[in-house]
Amino acid sequence: MTRILSALLLLASLDAGAAQVLQGRPDDTLAASLSRSEPTLIRIEGHRIRRVFGAEGDFDVKADKDAGTAFVKPMTDKAAFSAYVADDAGRTWKLLLSLSDGPADSIVIKGRGGESAGKRPGKDSARSQAIKRVVLALDADGETDMESRVANELVPLWKEALFVLVKIVQGPLGWPLRGEKYHLSNTSDKPMVIDERELYRRGVVAVSVEKSELKPAETTAVYVISEATE
C-alpha cells in the first residue's frame, strides 16, 4: 500500500465517524469500544504504532506500516478484553476494549498534557519500565535485585471468588512501587469474567490479569502495582 493511499484511508476513516480520543498516560488503562463486525483503526497522535498484542484469539491485527497505524477486529465473543499498543517512543499503552454492534469508530491515543506530540520518552517511560521490572520480579522463581517476600494471605474480594496474596515485591531504587501477586480462583459453578477495573483502588497504577475468563474451579494470576506508602 502506498503512502498516499494510506493517508487517504486514514482520512476517510476519521471522517466516517467520530473518533474515540483516549487521553492519558502509558500507566493508565484507557477504555474504548470496537465494532464486532468491522475493523477499527487505532493510531497514536504524534507517533507510530510498532505492535499491538494481547491474549491469543481475542482479535486480529492488520498493521499499516507506512502510516504507522493498525486495524483491529475482534475474533472473540467476550464482552470486553485487554490489548496493548507499543509505539516508537518506547511506550506501551493499555486498552480495555468493549465490543459493540454499531459501526467502527477510529481510536486515537493521545498523551496527557501533550506528551505524545513529538516528545521523546522521559520520566513516564522510565516509570513504565520500573513497573515492568516489578511485574517480572513478581514472576521470578529466584532472587532478584528487589526486596521480596512470599505470602499466603486470604484477601476478601467477591463472594464467588478466592483471592490469595502469594508474593510482595518492593519496587526498584528510585521508584517507590509495591508489587503484589495474587491467585484468583473461581469458586462458583458458572464462568467468571474478570474486569480489571474492579481491582483498582487508591494508589494503584497498574493491574494485569493473566486470564480474563475463568471456568469453575479455574485459577489465574493477578498482578497489582501501586505507589508505595511510607
Side-chain angles (χ1 to χ4, degrees), residues 14 22 38 47 80 90 106-107 117 136 146 157 180 185 188 192 213 215 219:
L14 293 177
L22 311 183
E38 302 177 3
H47 290 281
S106 301
I107 295 175
L136 290 174
M146 303 180 204
L157 186 62
E180 298 169 340
S185 302
S188 73
M192 174 186 291
E213 290 190 19
K215 298 176 183 177
T219 299

Side-chain angles (χ1 to χ4, degrees), residues 10 63 95 188 225:
L10 175 58
L95 308 183
S188 73
I225 315 299

Side-chain angles (χ1 to χ4, degrees), residues 106-123:
S106 301
I107 295 175
V108 181
I109 301 173
K110 183 177 180 181
R112 183 172 297 168
E115 73 172 26
S116 67
K119 290 188 178 180
R120 303 311 299 170
K123 184 177 180 180

